[in-house]
Amino acid sequence: MSQARGSFLSRSLRFVIWSVLVFNRFRRERIDMVNCHSLSVLPLSIALKVWHRALLIYEPHELETETSQMHGLKKKVCKFIERLLVKHVDYTILVSDAIETWYRKYYKLVNTAVVLNCPPTAPISLSRYFHEHFSIPAKTPIFLYQGILGKGRGIEITIEAFKTIPDQASLILMGYGELFEWAETQSQKLKNIHVHKAVSRSDLHAITSAADFGLSLIEPISLSYEYCMPNKFFEYIMAGVPVLVSNTVEQRKVVQQFGIGEVATAQTTEAICAGAQKLISAGKSKFNAGLKQASQEYCWERQEVVFERIYKQVCAQQSQ
């Protein structure tokens, strides 16, 4: 415990030195607005705001003080810093409704909005890429997980679930991360598990469209994960791919509202298998209408309107 605490303090000291160097680099520049994307650089952003009398927009990409990595002294310090400094921010942009509610409740913020990480509108690409790439029988449904292959994302339990239904569906794990090699080893033992390296952003939509169903089984091991809206979730929607999601607040709300898939009732192999089998029985086409409606709601074109409104509002207040 003391060793971990010492490591945290050592890293913090190095980060303070870096922040001072960055501040000195930009203190003679003309800066009208600072856009801060992480709690770690919020103190530096506040310093630049005050020095330049600039606007400051804060855009944390998750509920940073409530992640699984936040505990002990580190969590206490980070919560104190954010609570102290966030009141000096001109506008705070959050990545889900639940996270916005949390910030409003605990920090008493007023100037907040939600901007989701949605992809731009794109036509659905009809493809049999995965069937052809992995020589999967044409009638076998494809379940795709795309993204980071890491802890807390349901990778291990998803493999455990799909290895119990080897003749009903194939699982594709596409991405990168600490579990990539382990997943590859599992795929060599199991005929319906396949691993694909990460693809470029320009190819992601077309390749995602080749799946029959998408998986977003994030494990609710922290409040940040419980409240999250993963990028992959919106990418499945835009690709016209029905989803099987974990029973987290935001994902469940959208799936049930638009009728675009199934919610696993628990983070167990049995619940995941049951959800997958319900999707297979229903068939992909059953969800087309809901997916079309959801893709019109959850696209970047709608999110950028919110961005534009916020920046216009903040700039107008500055000029008054």
Side-chain angles (χ1 to χ4, degrees):
M1 178 67 73
S2 60
Q3 188 175 31
R5 180 173 295 183
S7 177
F8 168 62
L9 292 174
S10 175
R11 292 196 305 272
S12 298
L13 178 60
R14 291 197 300 270
F15 195 80
V16 168
I17 294 171
W18 175 84
S19 297
V20 170
L21 293 172
V22 173
F23 178 82
N24 286 333
R25 164 64 180 81
F26 288 102
R27 67 189 180 92
R28 292 187 178 86
E29 303 283 342
R30 176 179 173 178
I31 296 177
D32 297 314
M33 179 177 289
V34 179
N35 194 293
C36 175
H37 287 261
S38 173
L39 172 57
S40 61
V41 291
L42 184 57
L44 170 60
S45 300
I46 291 287
L48 289 169
K49 168 189 167 66
V50 173
W51 183 264
H52 291 284
R53 298 182 180 179
L55 298 167
L56 173 58
I57 293 181
Y58 183 36
E59 295 184 52
H61 290 178
E62 60 181 329
L63 188 49
E64 289 189 46
T65 60
E66 295 290 345
T67 64
S68 58
Q69 293 79 31
M70 280 285 184
H71 46 78
L73 177 63
K74 180 180 179 181
K75 182 171 184 175
K76 291 178 181 178
V77 170
C78 289
K79 275 186 173 291
F80 173 78
I81 290 173
E82 188 170 48
R83 183 181 295 109
L84 179 68
L85 297 182
V86 74
K87 61 186 177 182
H88 300 293
V89 169
D90 294 290
Y91 219 102
T92 303
I93 300 174
L94 292 318
V95 292
S96 80
D97 291 336
I99 293 178
E100 181 188 33
T101 299
W102 189 95
Y103 268 84
R104 283 178 167 266
K105 177 180 178 181
Y106 286 97
Y107 296 148
K108 310 302 181 186
L109 300 184
V110 176
N111 291 332
T112 66
V114 174
V115 175
L116 302 169
N117 293 317
C118 301
T121 299
I124 295 173
S125 175
L126 299 179
S127 166
R128 304 294 288 172
Y129 173 78
F130 292 120
H131 288 89
E132 295 169 1
H133 185 77
F134 291 110
S135 300
I136 297 170
K139 292 184 179 181
T140 301
I142 300 292
F143 282 78
L144 171 67
Y145 170 91
Q146 50 115 316
I148 296 174
L149 302 178
K151 297 288 186 179
R153 296 169 186 270
I155 305 300
E156 298 101 326
I157 199 161
T158 299
I159 289 179
E160 286 298 312
F162 274 83
K163 77 179 186 181
T164 67
I165 51 171
D167 299 318
Q168 296 181 46
S170 284
L171 169 65
I172 311 294
L173 300 167
M174 184 172 74
Y176 62 93
E178 60 180 319
L179 294 179
F180 186 91
E181 290 184 1
W182 175 83
E184 275 197 315
T185 300
Q186 297 301 305
S187 71
Q188 293 166 7
K189 304 174 185 176
L190 304 165
K191 68 176 185 178
N192 68 325
I193 311 296
H194 308 277
V195 177
H196 194 294
K197 65 181 181 180
V199 299
S200 67
R201 171 60 59 178
S202 60
D203 293 332
L204 182 61
H205 175 74
I207 291 179
T208 299
S209 297
D212 295 295
F213 306 102
L215 299 170
S216 184
L217 295 166
I218 194 86
E219 299 172 25
I221 57 176
S222 68
L223 201 58
S224 183
Y225 274 10
E226 175 68 36
Y227 290 168
C228 76
M229 287 291 267
N231 292 12
K232 66 175 66 62
F233 179 70
F234 299 118
E235 287 158 357
Y236 295 143
I237 291 172
M238 189 56 67
V241 175
V243 294
L244 174 60
V245 303
S246 48
N247 192 21
T248 53
V249 174
E250 296 290 319
Q251 293 190 119
R252 179 179 68 241
K253 178 177 68 176
V254 175
V255 168
Q256 293 177 344
Q257 178 183 351
F258 290 93
I260 57 173
E262 291 289 336
V263 179
T265 56
Q267 205 77 8
T268 63
T269 56
E270 294 80 9
I272 292 170
C273 280
Q277 288 168 332
K278 285 181 181 179
L279 290 175
I280 294 169
S281 297
K284 184 177 181 179
S285 61
K286 175 187 175 180
F287 304 96
N288 287 348
L291 286 163
K292 182 177 181 180
Q293 185 181 0
S295 69
Q296 294 168 349
E297 178 71 20
Y298 296 108
C299 60
W300 180 246
E301 289 80 1
R302 290 182 68 91
Q303 303 306 310
E304 67 181 353
V305 171
V306 182
F307 252 135
E308 184 177 0
R309 174 181 59 77
I310 293 168
Y311 279 88
K312 284 182 177 179
Q313 179 181 331
V314 172
C315 291
Q317 290 173 349
Q318 178 81 338
S319 62
Q320 290 177 355

